[in-house]
Amino acid sequence: MAIMATHSEFERSIQETLSKIEDLKELANSRGLDVEADLKKLEAQLDELRTETFKSLSPMRSSRSRPWSGSRSHGTRSARTLPT
């Protein structure tokens, strides 16, 4: 369960939970286990972590931490940018 160095400190618990979910899915597939209940618990935990983590961030810090948000700091243009 390796954590990528590119994640901000506040995203660490989210990445750890995502890794646990992936590890559990791989284990279930390789051994034919039913882990649906455990997956649901981890996914609920992930939703709560995301909500708690991102609600306390400023909009600037939140958009910088997520390259998919269209932040210019990641070399992409926002879809909401108006033509000049």
Side-chain angles (χ1 to χ4, degrees), residues 2-77:
I3 297 173
M4 297 174 64
T6 59
H7 291 287
S8 300
E9 186 64 35
F10 63 86
E11 291 179 301
R12 188 170 312 274
S13 59
I14 292 171
Q15 183 59 37
E16 288 173 351
T17 304
L18 282 169
S19 293
K20 287 178 185 178
I21 289 170
E22 289 305 313
D23 291 346
L24 187 59
K25 286 179 179 179
E26 287 177 18
L27 181 66
N29 286 335
S30 68
R31 296 192 181 173
L33 301 173
D34 180 16
V35 295
E36 192 65 32
D38 294 324
L39 279 175
K40 285 186 180 199
K41 287 178 188 176
L42 284 171
E43 288 168 347
Q45 180 183 4
L46 179 62
D47 288 341
E48 187 174 327
L49 283 169
R50 284 180 171 157
T51 299
E52 291 300 314
T53 298
F54 289 104
K55 80 176 183 183
S56 63
L57 296 178
S58 68
M60 179 63 81
R61 186 158 182 209
S62 179
S63 67
R64 284 186 180 165
S65 69
R66 297 176 286 160
W68 61 87
S69 68
S71 170
R72 290 181 188 258
S73 64
H74 294 282
T76 60
R77 290 190 72 149

